[in-house]
Amino acid sequence: MRRSAVGERRAGSTAPATREGPGPAGVAVLAAVLVALLAGTWLLSGALVEGTDPLVVAAGRTGVCCAVLAGCAAARAKGRHELRQVPRQPGTLALLALLGFAAYAMGTLLALPRIGTSLTNLVVALMPCASLAVGALLFGQRATVRQAAGAALATAATGAYAVRDGAGRVDLPGLGLAVAGMLAFAAYGFLYRRRLGGVAPSAALPVLLGLATLMMLPFAVPADGASLARWGGIVLLGGAVYAPAYLVQHRLILLRGPVFTAAVQLAVPFTVRLGDWALGPAGPPTVPELALLGCALAGIALVTVRRGGQRTAS
């Protein structure tokens, strides 16, 4: 880790370590890959929690993801060197593991069987607004009027989509679990960039995921044994979907900040909707749904697209 980066964090600066990164086209590709991977996680997670304890799925996918990323890092000399650069700060690492992985996974996966995949995903998709608020209240970040308007537009579009999609009463405890998980990750994005901004995500993530797995294990006691196919699905979810999703997500957090990354994820609910159509559970999107998609994308653009050489708030 660079001495300058360490000094900045010890001094309480919110600025991350300077990193060379891809240009606008590269960032756009990373954003598109993140949306596709996260949509896959929601579709697969929703299927798994129908027949398996959500806490078992949460702990299982986190543990598998940790094992895959740790193995990849340990297999390379550079990766082993980067692992040694993770700060020896148990309190900080435990807090990040709790907010970004344990609380987020438990909250959202417990919400899935109560309020459904679509509404849970929509709650999480409202993270840009939460990130703007958390950044302003806790981390001294300032958002422009343009960004606030974009977040409000995207939030209104996703809220309208939820009203169209959700019939009947909403399970308030389930909704509360989803909101709690979303808020935990919103705070995590700022803390991660501030405390571990000088550490490669491929090194930081195995440590954080390992701690989160240990936190969740006491709650992950299945009442009924999961089938071999279910365990295979959990392994697939954690190793082949979540591992690359987390790497791309944290790379974007370091490159463009948590607000940008959260805003990109607003496209995920609509991608999930298209996935439901492609897989058969739902019909094709209607004209109103497509209109809401357009509004959400316009809001995302206001929050994320640079103008006049300025970076988005982070």
Side-chain angles (χ1 to χ4, degrees), residues 18-45:
T18 302
R19 288 178 173 273
E20 294 183 1
V27 170
V29 170
L30 287 174
V33 170
L34 178 62
V35 169
L37 287 170
L38 289 179
T41 66
W42 284 108
L43 293 168
L44 186 51
S45 294

Side-chain angles (χ1 to χ4, degrees), residues 83-192:
L83 283 171
R84 291 192 291 271
Q85 306 309 305
V86 179
R88 305 298 192 269
Q89 300 174 2
T92 295
L93 295 175
L95 178 61
L96 289 170
L98 174 64
L99 292 174
F101 302 100
Y104 174 76
M106 293 172 69
T108 54
L109 287 183
L110 284 171
L112 281 178
R114 302 183 70 112
I115 62 176
T117 303
S118 181
L119 185 52
T120 302
N121 187 229
L122 284 164
V123 170
V124 174
L126 299 182
M127 200 177 294
C129 291
S131 294
L132 288 174
V134 168
L137 292 173
L138 301 180
F139 298 96
Q141 302 291 320
R142 290 185 178 181
T144 65
V145 173
R146 176 170 169 264
Q147 288 175 320
L153 175 60
T155 299
T158 53
Y161 186 89
V163 171
R164 286 181 51 82
D165 189 61
R169 289 179 56 225
V170 174
D171 185 297
L172 291 180
L175 186 62
L177 287 166
V179 170
M182 180 266 289
L183 290 174
F185 197 89
Y188 164 83
F190 288 96
L191 285 171
Y192 170 80

Side-chain angles (χ1 to χ4, degrees), residues 52-60 106 216-226 231:
T52 308
D53 188 325
L55 295 180
V56 172
V57 177
M106 293 172 69
M216 288 187 282
L217 279 179
F219 305 98
V221 180
D224 300 310
W231 283 115

Side-chain angles (χ1 to χ4, degrees), residues 193-295:
R193 196 169 188 240
R194 180 174 183 176
R195 302 294 177 84
L196 296 181
V199 181
S202 57
L205 285 174
V207 177
L208 298 178
L209 288 163
L211 290 172
T213 302
L214 293 176
M215 292 176 184
M216 288 187 282
L217 279 179
F219 305 98
V221 180
D224 300 310
S227 66
L228 185 61
R230 292 283 174 178
W231 283 115
I234 291 173
V235 171
L236 177 66
L237 175 63
V241 186
Y242 256 99
Y246 276 140
L247 287 174
V248 174
Q249 182 185 54
H250 285 71
R251 179 66 169 153
L252 280 175
I253 288 174
L254 294 182
L255 286 171
R256 298 292 297 275
V259 173
F260 174 92
T261 306
V264 166
Q265 292 170 203
L266 275 168
V268 174
F270 302 97
T271 309
V272 170
R273 174 65 180 85
L274 294 175
D276 283 336
W277 173 34
L279 295 174
T286 64
V287 172
E289 285 178 320
L290 292 175
L292 291 174
L293 171 60
C295 290

Side-chain angles (χ1 to χ4, degrees), residues 44-89:
L44 186 51
S45 294
L48 287 171
V49 298
E50 289 181 1
T52 308
D53 188 325
L55 295 180
V56 172
V57 177
R61 77 178 189 188
T62 304
V64 170
C65 187
C66 171
V68 169
L69 293 179
C72 291
R76 301 175 297 113
K78 180 181 179 181
R80 292 191 295 273
H81 173 73
E82 290 175 339
L83 283 171
R84 291 192 291 271
Q85 306 309 305
V86 179
R88 305 298 192 269
Q89 300 174 2

